Amino acid sequence: MMRYIYMITAALMFISCEFDFELDGMDTEPLIHIEATLHQNCDTDLPYAVQGVRAIADNESIKLKNFSLKAYVNNELTDTYINKESFDKFSGQLDVKSLEPGDKIRIEAESEGYRSISAETVMPERWAGLDINVNRISSQSIEIKVRFKDNPDTEDYYGLGLSVESFIGDRISSVTSVALRGPSVDGNGYASFGEMRVSYTDPRSRLINICNDHGFNGKEKEMVFIADCLESTETERREYSILAYKLSPEMYRYAVARFDSSPWNNSLGFMGLSPVTFTYTNIQGGLGVLACVNAMTYGPYPVP
């Protein structure tokens, strides 16, 4: 039994070394918590939400005062927000203008009684060159095959989603984000998602499955998914779009950490047998994330 405990401890130590954290004061000092994620082609500005928290241990919310937030693109100041009033939580947007792959986004923030924070991220390349094939497998389901070549020279993070538009005549009657699942394993009815077991919701409330390229770096890759999608009818026409995202590393790691710590995926944590809170941040001196996604849409295509 002790051997297994040592193995688990060693594994946790190895995982914890993947990122550098400045731990001094993170369990006692008040900290600024900020989430700022930009989805290029979804957002025109950098949306953010900010609050002050007492400490990681209790996550007690406390007020911010004399707060300022600055956004830089390629070291050029693009926008500033200043609030001298006292507030609990705040959300807003910063103008970062039009971004191109490789552009560096940086934020800096400070507030009275808190440590100053900063963070950086880089806009990734677009996920181009996909070979997409969709087939009808039943009156209510379609099969989606996505083929692409991974770049061996870069560490890539991918996101994939399906959006279906329904039309009555020329008018859109509904737009639906459809969940993707893998084919059943050996016909037993249980879905296998392969690399894309993790998902998150983008700014337009669309469900996006994500993965990294660790299992297929530099190779030709095919992913197969099943989605529930009705056929077009005489009165209602349907079209689908494939959402192909490239994520910055921070976006991927933050989304994975949140997914793994949710009540649905971390039942041991909610039983008190493992940590509940997610454990990734790239905010120096604080908590949260600065990240970006290059969003690209393939389609629309008629539903087969």
Side-chain angles (χ1 to χ4, degrees), residues 72-89:
Y72 299 81
V73 176
N74 298 326
N75 298 319
E76 179 183 349
L77 181 65
T78 62
D79 203 0
T80 300
Y81 171 76
I82 297 175
N83 190 339
K84 295 185 178 298
E85 302 297 324
S86 178
F87 64 91
D88 294 309
K89 299 179 181 180

Side-chain angles (χ1 to χ4, degrees), residues 21 118-121 250 254 280-284 286-291:
F21 289 97
S118 63
E120 292 184 354
T121 187
E250 305 84 12
Y254 196 72
Y280 175 80
T281 180
N282 69 325
I283 305 295
Q284 295 295 319
L287 298 171
V289 69
L290 169 67

